[in-house]
Amino acid sequence: MDAATDTLFFKHSTLGMVRADYKMRITAVNDAFTRITGYSSSEALGQTPRMLSSGKQDPAFYAQMWASIENDGFWSGEIWNRRKNGDIYPELLTIDSITYKGDEHSGFIGVFADISHLKNGSSDLGYLAHHDPLTGLSNRLLLSARLEKSLELVKRNQAKTAVLFIDLDAFKPVNDSLGHTIGDSILIEVANRLSGVVRQADTITRWGGDEFVVVLDVVNSAKNAATVADNIVEALRAEPYIVGDRSVYLGCSVGISIFPEDGGSGEVLVRNADTAMYQAKNLGGNQFCFYKQEMTEAVQDRLLLAGELRGALEANQLELHYQPQYCVRTGKMLGVESLIRWQHPEKGMIPPDQFISIAEETGLIIPIGTWVIETACQQARKWMDTGSLITIAVNVSAKQLTDRNFCNIVETILSETKLPPHLLEIELTESLLIEDIEKSIHIFKSLSGLGINLAIDDFGTGFSSLSYLTQLPVKKLKIDRSFLRKIFSKKADRKLINSIIALGHSLDLKVVTEGVETVEQLNYLRENNCDLAQGYLLSRPVKANNLIIQSYDI
């Protein structure tokens, strides 16, 4: 953990924190450690955590604890320790192993909370039974009781209750890469932000992991629930979660169910809100969706669509449309993004958000992805032969990167189409990169070695690390359309766009903003020195024979 992280978590945390090297010698403690244990920093440094041992746990307890740390990388549970004055007290403790390059830099970090007050008296025991020990939010047991009570109330008054099921987007790779201690700190901050959005009478529950449930006790209409859900999405993504030199931007997906339309019991309402949440996640996350009965039926439609997708490629039902990218300063068209479409013989045009996830689940994304790259390169070569040097961008799925032959496939396509590599641009989403950052760096370098341009798509919606970004041979950052949509109503989105543009330019990267739909948005991007823009204001995605390669009057 670096100095910035020490400042953030050690000095400002209300939780006790202790860091030890690989020999279990204490190297750092925070103020909360001193407050809870009574030991000053000078007294603790150089000692081992055994100085806190109460003697209440037997050797088998510690053997099991260290086995968990060795196998899983962390341990979390309840333990009894001893203060400097001799008092024995209970604490909730999490220990994470930290591994750097070279064992001499490895070690452990422990985070703990004194739970003595929760052990004193039956009321405190009742608190433990009904609340999540990490965030202090209600648990499932308390949620069930409050939800049923809320339903009884609204039934008498013929009112409505709303259940919101919330799941963080891309939290797992952050938790896996930074460790459970920092992940827990982020979850605590999420709980605090949720508490700042809903009313005091409403119930916030940590459902488990990075999932939360909010019960809006009484709402006048579905519109009220939508307003709260929108505020939650905004609150969780408006400001980054600062972790050392990293800025973690976490969005969320929210599903909404309404009583009585979407269920007559708490169990059904939570289940249906969960279903709606997955719908929001399938649409790209960072948004909310209402539950509809048709969503259950859509599961069957999805299975049918998967079967039909298998024959779509062979039947030439897939096609590419192209959306131009223009220089914001000059209006010159510099490139296009290729976007796949499915022309179904009966259902008509099917957009990618309805079948790409199916292709990934079934493995069809590998042949479909190869077809996209090959078709895009063939088209770029045709434009080149007519005198137009147009960069063509292709989106790549995480599943494609797991194919060990991916780089060879791209190289073969470039060779067969005789397209200069610098006219091909491959886009990968930011969250995709950190699922295996080391592998991503290797693949990026391999592709860059072929002369291909690389871009990070949806930048700002996932895990942003300067240290990783400087290792990736990228040429462009693409700002997600969701930030541009509210730049005139959300100050946080304006600040974020300006920060990404400044960051990109400081690293000699071009910055592209997608989703430009109004002249005001385009003017804002020009005033803030964004390099490229694409969106419906400039051009919708069109077939190759309908694309006009010309400058745009901006």
Side-chain angles (χ1 to χ4, degrees):
M1 187 174 290
D2 55 28
T5 309
D6 285 344
T7 300
L8 178 63
F9 290 106
F10 274 60
K11 291 185 178 181
H12 300 294
S13 177
T14 58
L15 301 174
M17 303 190 75
V18 55
R19 187 176 62 186
D21 62 20
Y22 74 107
K23 291 184 178 180
M24 289 304 298
R25 293 172 301 202
I26 296 175
T27 58
V29 298
N30 69 346
D31 292 341
F33 174 95
T34 298
R35 175 175 51 79
I36 295 171
T37 68
Y39 288 100
S40 66
S41 176
S42 60
E43 291 171 322
L45 295 182
Q47 302 294 321
T48 72
R50 285 192 294 273
M51 65 186 290
L52 303 174
S53 177
S54 66
K56 289 180 69 90
Q57 277 85 26
D58 58 24
F61 173 88
Y62 290 104
Q64 184 178 14
M65 179 180 76
W66 285 107
S68 175
I69 294 173
E70 182 176 354
N71 294 330
D72 303 326
F74 77 102
W75 176 86
S76 184
E78 186 176 314
I79 192 172
W80 291 86
N81 273 337
R82 187 186 301 273
R83 306 185 207 274
K84 181 180 178 181
N85 64 9
D87 290 345
I88 295 175
Y89 69 98
E91 67 179 37
L92 286 175
L93 171 66
T94 297
I95 301 175
D96 267 281
S97 64
I98 309 297
T99 303
Y100 300 100
K101 294 181 179 178
D103 290 340
E104 70 275 9
H105 297 298
S106 299
F108 307 89
I109 185 168
V111 180
F112 62 92
D114 181 355
I115 58 171
S116 300
H117 64 290
L118 301 181
K119 292 289 187 178
N120 299 325
S122 58
S123 61
D124 290 334
L125 291 176
Y127 181 92
L128 274 175
H130 291 89
H131 290 81
D132 171 50
L134 176 66
T135 63
L137 299 176
S138 64
N139 60 17
R140 294 190 187 192
L141 183 62
L142 185 55
L143 169 72
S144 178
R146 289 186 176 177
L147 184 50
E148 293 305 322
K149 183 177 180 181
S150 177
L151 293 180
E152 291 177 4
L153 176 64
V154 296
K155 285 176 183 177
R156 290 197 301 268
N157 298 328
Q158 295 185 334
K160 297 179 182 292
T161 290
V163 174
L164 280 56
F165 201 104
I166 305 158
D167 182 81
L168 300 181
D169 296 332
F171 177 76
K172 184 179 184 301
V174 172
N175 199 38
D176 289 346
S177 60
L178 297 184
H180 296 274
T181 300
I182 291 177
D184 285 351
S185 300
I186 292 174
L187 291 175
I188 292 171
E189 174 62 17
V190 169
N192 291 336
R193 294 190 189 187
L194 289 175
S195 299
V197 173
V198 305
R199 303 168 300 187
Q200 189 172 1
D202 299 325
T203 299
I204 310 173
T205 297
R206 185 185 178 202
W207 186 256
D210 61 332
E211 295 178 330
F212 299 81
V213 173
V214 172
V215 176
L216 303 180
D217 202 24
V218 177
V219 292
N220 295 325
S221 66
K223 183 178 180 180
N224 297 140
T227 299
V228 176
D230 188 49
N231 290 339
I232 287 174
V233 171
E234 178 65 22
L236 295 193
R237 76 177 179 91
E239 297 292 337
Y241 302 81
I242 305 300
V243 184
D245 68 335
R246 303 168 174 87
S247 297
V248 181
Y249 287 95
L250 288 177
C252 69
S253 300
V254 183
I256 308 172
S257 63
I258 305 291
F259 173 86
E261 292 93 329
D262 300 328
S265 69
E267 180 182 357
V268 173
L269 288 170
V270 171
R271 184 173 68 243
N272 289 345
D274 186 21
T275 301
M277 180 275 294
Y278 276 105
Q279 175 73 0
K281 193 170 287 289
N282 288 336
L283 292 175
N286 234 4
Q287 59 187 293
F288 64 86
C289 282
F290 281 96
Y291 174 80
K292 297 291 186 292
Q293 183 61 37
E294 306 88 75
M295 290 174 61
T296 303
E297 300 169 0
V299 174
Q300 298 299 326
D301 293 339
R302 187 177 178 85
L303 293 174
L304 177 62
L305 204 61
E308 294 176 327
L309 183 58
R310 295 184 183 278
L313 188 57
E314 294 181 2
N316 295 319
Q317 295 173 7
L318 301 180
E319 57 188 48
L320 289 186
H321 289 194
Y322 303 92
Q323 185 170 39
Q325 296 176 342
Y326 296 91
C327 174
V328 173
R329 183 175 57 86
T330 66
K332 182 178 180 180
M333 180 178 164
L334 299 179
V336 296
E337 179 180 6
S338 55
L339 301 166
I340 191 171
R341 299 290 187 266
W342 179 5
Q343 184 63 50
H344 193 282
E346 298 174 359
K347 298 182 175 68
M349 187 65 72
I350 301 177
D353 58 16
Q354 294 184 23
F355 67 87
I356 288 298
S357 60
I358 297 176
E360 291 178 330
E361 292 169 5
T362 59
L364 291 171
I365 194 65
I366 302 300
I368 290 176
T370 300
W371 175 85
V372 169
I373 297 174
E374 184 176 17
T375 303
C377 288
Q378 290 172 347
Q379 182 58 56
R381 179 68 208 193
K382 290 178 182 178
W383 285 326
M384 177 181 170
D385 291 341
T386 60
S388 298
L389 297 178
I390 299 297
T391 299
I392 193 158
V394 176
N395 295 284
V396 172
S397 162
K399 295 292 185 180
Q400 290 174 261
L401 292 188
T402 62
D403 183 356
R404 66 180 65 183
N405 295 318
F406 178 71
C407 291
N408 292 333
I409 290 172
V410 175
E411 184 176 16
T412 299
I413 291 173
L414 288 172
S415 176
E416 292 178 348
T417 59
K418 295 182 174 55
L419 180 72
H422 71 275
L423 294 182
L424 174 62
E425 181 173 283
I426 289 183
E427 297 182 359
L428 299 99
T429 61
E430 185 182 12
S431 57
L432 179 155
L433 296 176
I434 59 161
E435 291 183 10
D436 189 337
I437 186 63
E438 295 301 327
K439 183 176 181 180
S440 296
I441 292 173
H442 173 73
I443 293 174
F444 259 49
K445 288 183 176 179
S446 297
L447 293 170
S448 179
L450 297 176
I452 297 169
N453 289 318
L454 303 169
I456 298 180
D457 197 10
D458 298 340
F459 191 78
T461 61
F463 170 77
S464 308
S465 169
L466 287 178
S467 61
Y468 289 149
L469 189 57
T470 55
Q471 297 179 59
L472 296 168
V474 299
K475 296 294 182 66
K476 286 182 183 177
L477 301 180
K478 291 193 70 176
I479 301 177
D480 185 66
R481 69 182 66 246
S482 63
F483 299 120
L484 186 64
R485 192 178 301 134
K486 299 180 180 178
I487 57 170
F488 298 113
S489 60
K490 302 291 184 180
K491 183 179 180 181
D493 284 5
R494 293 197 299 275
K495 290 170 57 179
L496 183 59
I497 287 178
N498 295 344
S499 297
I500 293 176
I501 293 173
L503 170 64
H505 290 168
S506 71
L507 297 174
D508 295 323
L509 305 178
K510 297 293 185 182
V511 180
V512 188
T513 301
E514 56 186 5
V516 179
E517 297 181 354
T518 68
V519 173
E520 290 76 15
Q521 290 173 339
L522 183 61
N523 289 337
Y524 181 86
L525 295 176
R526 183 191 299 112
E527 292 167 2
N528 288 277
N529 300 315
C530 183
D531 300 296
L532 297 161
Q534 67 184 85
Y536 284 1
L537 173 69
L538 307 171
S539 174
R540 290 177 175 269
V542 296
K543 293 182 179 182
N545 55 6
N546 293 329
L547 183 70
I548 301 176
I549 301 176
Q550 63 181 23
S551 298
Y552 181 85
D553 185 10
I554 60 174

